[in-house]
Amino acid sequence: MERYIRTDLAVELQEEISEKSLLQGVEIYTRYSKDKKIKETKIDVVDEQGAKILGKPIGTYITLESGELRGSDEDIHKPLVDMLHKNLKELIKENDKILVVGLGNREVTPDALGPYVVDNLYITRHLLSEGIIVNAREISAISPGVMAQTGIETGTILKALCKETNPDIIIAVDALAAREPTRLNSTIQLCDTGISPGAGVGNNRAVLNEETLGVKVIAVGVPTVISVPAIINQAIDNMLTVFSENGKNLSEGLTEEEKYSIATQLIEPDLAKMFVTPKNIDEAVKRISYTISEAINKFLELY
Amino acid sequence: MERYIRTDLAVELQEEISEKSLLQGVEIYTRYSKDKKIKETKIDVVDEQGAKILGKPIGTYITLESGELRGSDEDIHKPLVDMLHKNLKELIKENDKILVVGLGNREVTPDALGPYVVDNLYITRHLLSEGIIVNAREISAISPGVMAQTGIETGTILKALCKETNPDIIIAVDALAAREPTRLNSTIQLCDTGISPGAGVGNNRAVLNEETLGVKVIAVGVPTVISVPAIINQAIDNMLTVFSENGKNLSEGLTEEEKYSIATQLIEPDLAKMFVTPKNIDEAVKRISYTISEAINKFLELY
Amino acid sequence: MERYIRTDLAVELQEEISEKSLLQGVEIYTRYSKDKKIKETKIDVVDEQGAKILGKPIGTYITLESGELRGSDEDIHKPLVDMLHKNLKELIKENDKILVVGLGNREVTPDALGPYVVDNLYITRHLLSEGIIVNAREISAISPGVMAQTGIETGTILKALCKETNPDIIIAVDALAAREPTRLNSTIQLCDTGISPGAGVGNNRAVLNEETLGVKVIAVGVPTVISVPAIINQAIDNMLTVFSENGKNLSEGLTEEEKYSIATQLIEPDLAKMFVTPKNIDEAVKRISYTISEAINKFLELY
Amino acid sequence: MERYIRTDLAVELQEEISEKSLLQGVEIYTRYSKDKKIKETKIDVVDEQGAKILGKPIGTYITLESGELRGSDEDIHKPLVDMLHKNLKELIKENDKILVVGLGNREVTPDALGPYVVDNLYITRHLLSEGIIVNAREISAISPGVMAQTGIETGTILKALCKETNPDIIIAVDALAAREPTRLNSTIQLCDTGISPGAGVGNNRAVLNEETLGVKVIAVGVPTVISVPAIINQAIDNMLTVFSENGKNLSEGLTEEEKYSIATQLIEPDLAKMFVTPKNIDEAVKRISYTISEAINKFLELY
């Protein structure tokens, strides 16, 4: 099953669990700023039980949602940048030296989010070490490329790089997979538990986290794709619902996991490795990557 | 229904019709060159009845298929270039001035096929008019961009351009949608009946053909995506087959069209407008666009 | 001489004329907004004599200069966008339908300014014609590519397009050549007399203006390169000044034109067709193209 | 002086020394294959004296020159690929695991050579480690980006990477600076003494070689730019020659180094950091990067 992504969004995983009483070890806070049109959801996985239930490691998962993000309403841009920066600041210490990692393949549009973010950052590490600027936050960055391009696990590249450059914290930006089409390109997820590069396009690589890299990893992700099984699952759900109207609901009592395993059996292996993405993905990725870059660039304004 | 692509490939449309005897007005020839590992299928739609049955206008549809195309076997490259050029030559007159049109959006990987082909062409029109070269085939080219980028129908741009530059023939290169995952990036379709730009990613724009542009249009297409309804349809088919084993096949007697309309009803409108594409689409599009460029560039070797 | 650009900037041409009294038929207004750190120069060429003296056709040339532009000071961004928009508004009528043309080659960094500007525009023409939006300014756009890519004169493509789409005004964005290194990527020139595409990289194509296209053309240009003769000329000037100290200044009495013709004789023809550009041209072009896009996008806020 | 590149080509450095008898410690072999239209020059710097005279470390410098390279004559492509591969093979052991490094900034056209080469390589390292293929040469690759993009010295990134992935040899591909315009994009230089990234665009970074990285470095470079001082120097030379005709040659007895130091004093510091490149640099870099990729990909045919 692990090979097939249901969703990378904690907020969607908890939605799958109908009876909220069952969410033991998981604490959920929601805040909706009507004027800012942004919904902020904080999910704390506090213990192993919660981790098991949600299928996500112990840690904090923050989701910023805004339907506006998908349109070209610029009014949403600044408040979202501010809110994203605020949340990053809470996860990063005053003087932490930041290494931003742009995960993904810049040649595949929905997977180019990470590299695009890096393209728009103000990099200071070399300017500080050369004494060209002073008193600024140290920011370095890299877009290592994907394994098909380098032949090297991203984790291996980053582990090596951290040893030599000693950042205090990594901000890893990557494309994710969602279940709900409405969440594509309209949701930003932050978490402090690391990330598996390429999850967005269905490659499960070794996880990048403090354990594997020796440096704490803040993951910033935006769902830009939906996995094929997720879509099949939904269609089947809809169909079974139709049948159930005159008779027993065939899917009754099936867990999401079980439904996914049915879905994946109904499609060719080829398809399970493909992804679904909207036609305007180029504009969407360009716009959101810019929002994330701005939120990170604000770390330079502290001084 | 028109909004949802089943497939742009004539070869898949005729496969949908189980009883070949029903294919009146449609003539099909197949040739398989074992050594060259390329399957060549020629479908002639000879009359209105055939056009109605196949859902494609009267004309010739040639398909070159090669599983190898998907791998990185370079041995297949040259023979495929030669075969594609041979087929183009049969559709283009000795002295025809060629305008190559790269349809699609270069910012969306699976839709970038056309622009990439144009990027690798040898353009001669200006060199001839300036007398820098002589006795060469006149080739001009343009990648007009998609309507979301220009605000202008591609047909409007090309119609205007043809009036001013008077090409004898247009080769329009575009990404297509297929039904079978195995055909993605492994099939090249030629036809002399024109093309609807953006079909590959589900935009049905005004058709580009001799009638609309005043210039004969040869369409060269490669399926780089699958439409979501096509995938849902397949999954449901599989599921109904399972149920049918113990009892009546629920899909029995349904036409492909009917199955598609069921499929489209089972998915959200958002999804119907998305597309499915493989993870390695960047390498695939780069490789195939190069094959097509080479086949067109061979028109310069005639002299 | 025409083959060798001295400068595309009217502001530099008038600087070459030492005795301002000689500038008959040329009116110059300068305004420097200290707080905004932007210098605004308006040069009106009022008659044929002025045109002959300055070597620019009769019309208005507005230059916005800001050293800040070259740095990454974001504070300058918004005021510059506002000032550029204000100037564009004075040249464009309330209801003019705008066609933005991104001149230049997106594959050559210093020449990619125009295409980059188009990439970041909000295009409305198709949304208006499809009734998806109402009461918005009609904006369409195209990046036609350069003649080496299309084999077709840009003027031919635009003339054809204007006939079919009937814009009221064209905003043509292109890279220019300057004489002073300090002006590179720090100056924006507007004029209402049209433009010669590719001037920035030394191709003198047919001028695009109301006469040739049948539509008024506002040119927006940023110098991103210096021509080789301009640099040679400067070095020789410096050297002759050294010699002149002990003896007669060898360049005394030579006009700028004469000095250029000496310079061009001192370099190989190959070199005369090359251009000089700074190493950080990628960041510079990205930043300035964004400023111009924003200034044009503001036309949508009128409603 | 180090800040200003005269040329990165050993072949041009030796040309500067008029009296060949002075080239002690430097051995030069030239071979011209008329049919293949390729000139092959091998320069062996055999001792410290030679290194001092030529200004290049002890080692072998091979230059492949072909005027054809600048045109679009495809006949030259294959023989050049073969000759480049042959030369690489002589420098690399049968079973050496290869790491290809694409130096330079992919966003600045003349500096994008390295990244473009990496884009077209067949990467095998991950396929071998996953057992998907066997008996193939191990090839991995990375385009680390330039310091302005990462804030990290390229040497630091590579040193770290080598420690983790243990390649036997590095092929470092980079853009270079030449003195002669005719050599731009028509010359490929190989050497076994390492490379200073960014030399092509005038950044002198720490040299990458066996000493600094712990892995032998084969440098493959193509001159895509000329430094501004090189061009000024040439123009002044020409001018002084004119003066010398009627009187003493002012430059008589000046060494190349001295002439360069005069040249650099005659231009503004800004300019000294700029570079000169031809207008068709996009086509040139695309074509040559493809030649180099092919020559490296041939290492996979050994099995």
Side-chain angles (χ1 to χ4, degrees):
Chain A
M1 264 314 295
E2 270 336 294
R3 288 173 34 238
Y4 308 118
I5 322 130
R6 289 153 57 193
T7 173
D8 295 312
L9 298 177
V11 71
E12 290 191 335
L13 288 167
Q14 58 92 10
E15 283 171 349
E16 286 179 354
I17 297 155
S18 42
E19 283 194 48
K20 295 310 171 203
S21 63
L22 298 176
L23 283 167
Q24 287 174 24
V26 180
E27 293 165 9
I28 302 166
Y29 315 86
T30 302
R31 187 166 47 186
Y32 190 82
S33 69
K34 193 151 169 307
D35 59 320
K36 287 181 179 176
K37 308 172 190 159
I38 301 169
K39 182 182 179 188
E40 192 173 6
T41 306
K42 188 176 170 216
I43 297 177
D44 282 323
V45 178
V46 295
D47 58 27
E48 279 310 333
Q49 185 180 10
K52 195 164 173 308
I53 289 167
L54 204 64
K56 286 271 185 189
I58 293 172
T60 302
Y61 303 83
I62 295 152
T63 309
L64 307 178
E65 288 177 79
S66 166
E68 308 304 323
L69 242 184
R70 305 171 73 204
S72 53
D73 174 0
E74 286 305 281
D75 305 346
I76 198 67
H77 176 68
K78 207 183 165 325
L80 192 67
V81 167
D82 295 340
M83 193 173 289
L84 177 54
H85 178 68
K86 179 185 70 59
N87 279 290
L88 283 170
K89 249 173 77 179
E90 286 168 12
L91 297 167
I92 296 175
K93 293 203 204 70
E94 262 283 326
N95 303 318
D96 278 358
K97 296 171 181 171
I98 303 172
L99 168 62
V100 182
V101 178
L103 298 169
N105 180 351
R106 74 163 64 240
E107 303 302 324
V108 177
T109 315
D111 200 27
L113 178 77
Y116 286 2
V117 167
V118 166
D119 288 347
N120 288 308
L121 293 176
Y122 296 135
I123 304 303
T124 59
R125 187 177 180 278
H126 59 305
L127 302 176
L128 288 162
S129 63
E130 290 170 356
I132 295 168
I133 61 172
V134 289
N135 277 340
R137 169 83 69 157
E138 180 184 301
I139 296 182
S140 59
I142 192 162
S143 298
V146 296
M147 204 156 88
Q149 297 169 315
T150 61
I152 308 168
E153 280 273 5
T154 303
T156 305
I157 297 172
L158 296 181
K159 193 176 157 192
L161 193 58
C162 289
K163 278 188 200 163
E164 293 286 332
T165 65
N166 302 308
D168 298 309
I169 189 126
I170 290 174
I171 299 178
V173 184
D174 199 8
L176 305 177
R179 194 190 58 201
E180 286 301 326
T182 54
R183 281 209 175 85
L184 283 192
N185 309 315
S186 70
T187 303
I188 300 175
Q189 174 175 278
L190 275 85
C191 72
D192 59 2
T193 60
I195 189 166
S196 297
V201 288
N203 295 316
N204 279 312
R205 300 277 167 234
V207 64
L208 309 176
N209 58 26
E210 185 152 20
E211 204 178 310
T212 57
L213 301 183
V215 178
K216 190 178 166 194
V217 177
I218 308 294
V220 178
V222 174
T224 61
V225 300
I226 304 177
S227 72
V228 171
I231 277 174
I232 302 296
N233 179 70
Q234 210 161 45
I236 288 167
D237 242 17
N238 297 343
M239 191 175 65
L240 296 179
T241 313
V242 176
F243 291 145
S244 69
E245 281 157 15
N246 37 1
K248 184 178 174 308
N249 181 336
L250 301 165
S251 68
E252 213 164 79
L254 294 181
T255 68
E256 282 298 319
E257 288 239 353
E258 287 165 328
K259 281 193 256 169
Y260 266 82
S261 98
I262 293 172
T264 53
Q265 286 160 37
L266 292 173
I267 56 181
E268 307 170 27
D270 272 7
L271 278 176
K273 289 178 204 125
M274 296 189 179
F275 59 81
V276 182
T277 197
K279 268 166 286 171
N280 68 341
I281 188 64
D282 55 329
E283 300 160 30
V285 170
K286 203 199 285 178
R287 186 174 56 248
I288 299 163
S289 65
Y290 187 70
T291 302
I292 298 173
S293 303
E294 288 296 287
I296 296 174
N297 285 335
K298 279 176 80 74
F299 278 108
L300 296 175
E301 295 170 14
L302 295 173
Y303 303 89
Chain B
M1 264 314 296
E2 269 335 294
R3 290 176 32 242
Y4 308 117
I5 319 131
R6 290 152 58 192
T7 174
D8 295 312
L9 298 177
V11 71
E12 290 191 334
L13 288 167
Q14 58 91 11
E15 284 171 349
E16 286 179 355
I17 296 154
S18 42
E19 284 194 47
K20 295 308 170 202
S21 62
L22 297 178
L23 283 168
Q24 287 173 23
V26 180
E27 294 165 8
I28 301 166
Y29 315 86
T30 301
R31 187 167 47 184
Y32 190 82
S33 69
K34 195 152 169 305
D35 58 321
K36 288 181 179 174
K37 308 170 190 160
I38 301 169
K39 182 182 178 188
E40 193 174 4
T41 307
K42 188 175 170 216
I43 297 177
D44 283 322
V45 177
V46 295
D47 57 27
E48 279 309 332
Q49 186 181 12
K52 196 165 172 309
I53 289 167
L54 205 65
K56 285 272 186 189
I58 293 172
T60 302
Y61 303 83
I62 296 152
T63 308
L64 307 178
E65 289 177 79
S66 166
E68 308 303 322
L69 243 184
R70 306 172 72 203
S72 53
D73 174 0
E74 285 305 281
D75 305 347
I76 198 67
H77 176 67
K78 208 186 162 323
L80 192 67
V81 166
D82 295 341
M83 193 172 291
L84 178 54
H85 179 67
K86 179 184 71 58
N87 278 290
L88 283 170
K89 248 174 76 180
E90 286 169 13
L91 297 168
I92 295 174
K93 294 203 203 69
E94 262 282 327
N95 303 317
D96 278 356
K97 296 170 180 171
I98 302 171
L99 168 63
V100 182
V101 178
L103 298 169
N105 180 350
R106 74 162 65 239
E107 303 302 325
V108 177
T109 315
D111 201 28
L113 177 77
Y116 286 3
V117 166
V118 166
D119 288 347
N120 288 308
L121 293 177
Y122 297 135
I123 304 302
T124 59
R125 187 178 180 278
H126 58 305
L127 303 176
L128 288 163
S129 63
E130 290 170 356
I132 294 167
I133 61 171
V134 289
N135 275 341
R137 169 83 69 159
E138 180 183 302
I139 297 182
S140 58
I142 192 162
S143 299
V146 296
M147 202 156 88
Q149 296 169 315
T150 62
I152 308 168
E153 280 273 4
T154 303
T156 306
I157 297 172
L158 296 181
K159 192 176 157 192
L161 194 58
C162 289
K163 278 188 201 162
E164 293 285 333
T165 65
N166 303 307
D168 297 309
I169 190 127
I170 289 173
I171 298 177
V173 184
D174 199 8
L176 304 177
R179 195 190 55 203
E180 287 300 327
T182 54
R183 282 210 174 85
L184 283 192
N185 308 316
S186 71
T187 303
I188 300 176
Q189 175 175 278
L190 274 84
C191 73
D192 57 4
T193 60
I195 190 165
S196 296
V201 288
N203 295 316
N204 278 313
R205 300 276 167 237
V207 64
L208 308 177
N209 57 26
E210 186 153 19
E211 204 178 311
T212 57
L213 301 183
V215 178
K216 190 178 166 194
V217 177
I218 308 294
V220 177
V222 175
T224 61
V225 300
I226 304 178
S227 71
V228 171
I231 278 174
I232 302 295
N233 179 70
Q234 211 161 45
I236 288 168
D237 241 18
N238 297 341
M239 190 175 66
L240 296 179
T241 313
V242 176
F243 290 146
S244 68
E245 281 157 13
N246 38 358
K248 182 177 175 307
N249 182 335
L250 300 166
S251 68
E252 214 163 81
L254 294 182
T255 68
E256 281 298 320
E257 289 241 351
E258 287 166 329
K259 283 193 251 167
Y260 267 83
S261 99
I262 292 171
T264 53
Q265 286 160 37
L266 292 173
I267 55 180
E268 305 170 30
D270 271 9
L271 279 175
K273 290 177 205 127
M274 296 189 180
F275 59 80
V276 182
T277 197
K279 268 166 285 170
N280 69 340
I281 188 65
D282 56 328
E283 299 161 29
V285 169
K286 203 199 285 177
R287 186 174 58 247
I288 300 163
S289 64
Y290 186 70
T291 303
I292 298 173
S293 303
E294 287 297 287
I296 296 174
N297 284 334
K298 279 177 81 73
F299 279 108
L300 297 175
E301 295 172 12
L302 296 175
Y303 303 89
Chain C
M1 265 314 295
E2 268 336 294
R3 289 176 33 242
Y4 308 118
I5 319 132
R6 290 152 57 194
T7 173
D8 296 312
L9 298 178
V11 71
E12 289 191 336
L13 288 167
Q14 58 90 13
E15 284 172 348
E16 287 180 353
I17 296 156
S18 42
E19 283 195 47
K20 293 312 169 203
S21 63
L22 297 177
L23 283 168
Q24 286 173 24
V26 180
E27 293 165 8
I28 302 167
Y29 314 88
T30 301
R31 187 166 45 184
Y32 190 82
S33 69
K34 194 151 171 305
D35 59 320
K36 287 183 179 175
K37 308 169 187 164
I38 301 170
K39 182 181 179 188
E40 191 174 6
T41 307
K42 188 176 170 214
I43 298 177
D44 283 322
V45 178
V46 294
D47 58 26
E48 279 310 332
Q49 184 180 13
K52 196 165 173 310
I53 289 167
L54 204 64
K56 285 273 186 188
I58 293 173
T60 302
Y61 303 83
I62 295 152
T63 308
L64 307 178
E65 289 179 77
S66 166
E68 307 305 322
L69 242 184
R70 303 171 73 204
S72 51
D73 174 0
E74 286 305 282
D75 305 347
I76 199 67
H77 176 67
K78 205 184 165 325
L80 192 68
V81 167
D82 295 341
M83 192 172 290
L84 178 54
H85 178 68
K86 178 184 71 58
N87 278 290
L88 282 169
K89 247 173 77 181
E90 286 169 11
L91 297 168
I92 296 175
K93 294 202 204 70
E94 262 284 325
N95 302 317
D96 279 357
K97 296 171 181 171
I98 303 172
L99 168 63
V100 182
V101 178
L103 298 168
N105 180 351
R106 75 162 65 237
E107 303 301 325
V108 177
T109 315
D111 200 27
L113 178 77
Y116 286 2
V117 167
V118 165
D119 289 347
N120 288 309
L121 293 177
Y122 297 135
I123 303 303
T124 58
R125 187 178 180 277
H126 58 305
L127 302 176
L128 288 162
S129 62
E130 291 171 355
I132 293 167
I133 61 170
V134 289
N135 276 340
R137 169 83 69 159
E138 180 184 301
I139 297 182
S140 58
I142 192 162
S143 299
V146 297
M147 203 156 87
Q149 297 169 314
T150 62
I152 308 168
E153 280 274 3
T154 303
T156 306
I157 297 172
L158 296 182
K159 192 175 158 192
L161 193 57
C162 289
K163 277 189 202 162
E164 293 285 333
T165 65
N166 303 306
D168 298 309
I169 189 125
I170 289 174
I171 299 177
V173 184
D174 199 7
L176 305 177
R179 194 191 57 202
E180 286 301 327
T182 54
R183 281 210 174 84
L184 283 192
N185 309 315
S186 70
T187 304
I188 300 175
Q189 175 175 279
L190 275 83
C191 73
D192 58 2
T193 60
I195 190 165
S196 297
V201 289
N203 295 316
N204 279 312
R205 300 279 166 232
V207 65
L208 309 176
N209 58 24
E210 184 152 19
E211 205 178 310
T212 57
L213 301 183
V215 179
K216 191 178 166 195
V217 177
I218 308 295
V220 178
V222 175
T224 61
V225 300
I226 304 177
S227 73
V228 171
I231 277 174
I232 302 294
N233 180 69
Q234 210 161 45
I236 288 168
D237 242 17
N238 297 341
M239 190 175 64
L240 295 180
T241 312
V242 176
F243 290 145
S244 68
E245 282 157 13
N246 37 0
K248 183 179 174 309
N249 183 335
L250 302 165
S251 68
E252 212 163 82
L254 293 182
T255 67
E256 281 298 318
E257 289 240 350
E258 288 166 328
K259 281 193 253 168
Y260 267 84
S261 100
I262 293 171
T264 53
Q265 287 160 37
L266 292 173
I267 54 179
E268 306 170 29
D270 271 8
L271 278 176
K273 291 178 203 124
M274 296 189 180
F275 59 82
V276 182
T277 197
K279 269 167 284 171
N280 68 341
I281 187 64
D282 56 327
E283 299 160 31
V285 170
K286 203 200 284 178
R287 186 175 55 248
I288 299 163
S289 64
Y290 186 71
T291 303
I292 299 174
S293 302
E294 287 296 288
I296 297 174
N297 285 333
K298 279 177 80 74
F299 278 108
L300 297 175
E301 295 171 13
L302 295 174
Y303 303 88
Chain D
M1 265 311 297
E2 269 337 293
R3 289 173 35 238
Y4 309 117
I5 320 130
R6 290 153 56 195
T7 172
D8 295 312
L9 298 177
V11 71
E12 289 191 335
L13 288 167
Q14 60 91 12
E15 284 171 348
E16 286 180 353
I17 297 154
S18 42
E19 284 194 47
K20 295 309 170 206
S21 63
L22 297 177
L23 283 167
Q24 287 173 24
V26 179
E27 294 164 8
I28 301 166
Y29 315 87
T30 300
R31 186 166 47 183
Y32 190 82
S33 71
K34 194 152 170 305
D35 58 321
K36 287 182 179 176
K37 309 169 188 162
I38 302 169
K39 181 181 179 188
E40 193 174 6
T41 307
K42 188 175 171 217
I43 298 177
D44 283 323
V45 178
V46 295
D47 58 26
E48 279 309 334
Q49 185 179 12
K52 196 165 173 312
I53 289 168
L54 205 65
K56 286 271 185 190
I58 293 173
T60 302
Y61 303 83
I62 295 153
T63 308
L64 307 179
E65 287 178 79
S66 167
E68 308 304 324
L69 242 184
R70 303 172 73 204
S72 53
D73 174 0
E74 286 305 282
D75 305 347
I76 197 69
H77 175 68
K78 206 184 164 324
L80 192 68
V81 167
D82 294 341
M83 192 172 289
L84 178 55
H85 179 67
K86 178 185 72 57
N87 279 290
L88 283 169
K89 249 173 78 180
E90 284 168 12
L91 298 167
I92 296 175
K93 294 203 203 70
E94 261 284 325
N95 302 317
D96 278 358
K97 296 170 181 171
I98 303 171
L99 168 62
V100 182
V101 178
L103 297 169
N105 180 351
R106 74 164 64 239
E107 303 300 326
V108 177
T109 314
D111 200 27
L113 178 77
Y116 286 3
V117 166
V118 166
D119 289 347
N120 288 309
L121 293 177
Y122 297 135
I123 304 302
T124 59
R125 187 178 180 278
H126 58 306
L127 302 176
L128 288 162
S129 64
E130 290 170 356
I132 293 167
I133 60 172
V134 289
N135 277 339
R137 169 83 69 158
E138 180 183 301
I139 297 182
S140 59
I142 192 161
S143 298
V146 296
M147 204 156 85
Q149 296 169 315
T150 61
I152 308 167
E153 281 272 4
T154 304
T156 306
I157 297 173
L158 296 181
K159 192 176 158 191
L161 193 58
C162 290
K163 277 189 201 161
E164 293 285 331
T165 65
N166 303 307
D168 299 308
I169 190 126
I170 289 174
I171 299 177
V173 184
D174 199 8
L176 304 177
R179 195 191 56 202
E180 285 303 325
T182 54
R183 281 210 174 85
L184 283 192
N185 309 315
S186 70
T187 303
I188 300 175
Q189 174 174 279
L190 274 85
C191 74
D192 59 1
T193 60
I195 190 165
S196 296
V201 289
N203 295 315
N204 278 312
R205 300 279 166 233
V207 64
L208 309 176
N209 57 25
E210 185 153 19
E211 204 178 309
T212 57
L213 301 183
V215 179
K216 190 178 167 195
V217 177
I218 308 295
V220 177
V222 175
T224 62
V225 300
I226 304 177
S227 72
V228 172
I231 278 175
I232 302 295
N233 179 71
Q234 211 161 45
I236 289 167
D237 242 18
N238 297 343
M239 191 175 63
L240 295 179
T241 313
V242 175
F243 290 145
S244 68
E245 282 157 14
N246 40 359
K248 183 178 175 309
N249 183 335
L250 301 166
S251 67
E252 215 163 77
L254 294 182
T255 68
E256 282 296 321
E257 288 240 353
E258 287 167 328
K259 282 193 253 167
Y260 267 82
S261 97
I262 292 172
T264 52
Q265 287 159 38
L266 291 173
I267 55 181
E268 305 171 29
D270 271 9
L271 278 176
K273 291 179 204 123
M274 296 190 181
F275 58 81
V276 182
T277 197
K279 269 167 285 172
N280 68 341
I281 188 64
D282 55 328
E283 299 160 30
V285 170
K286 204 199 284 177
R287 186 175 55 248
I288 299 162
S289 64
Y290 186 71
T291 303
I292 298 173
S293 303
E294 288 296 288
I296 296 174
N297 285 334
K298 281 176 78 74
F299 279 108
L300 297 175
E301 295 170 14
L302 294 174
Y303 302 88

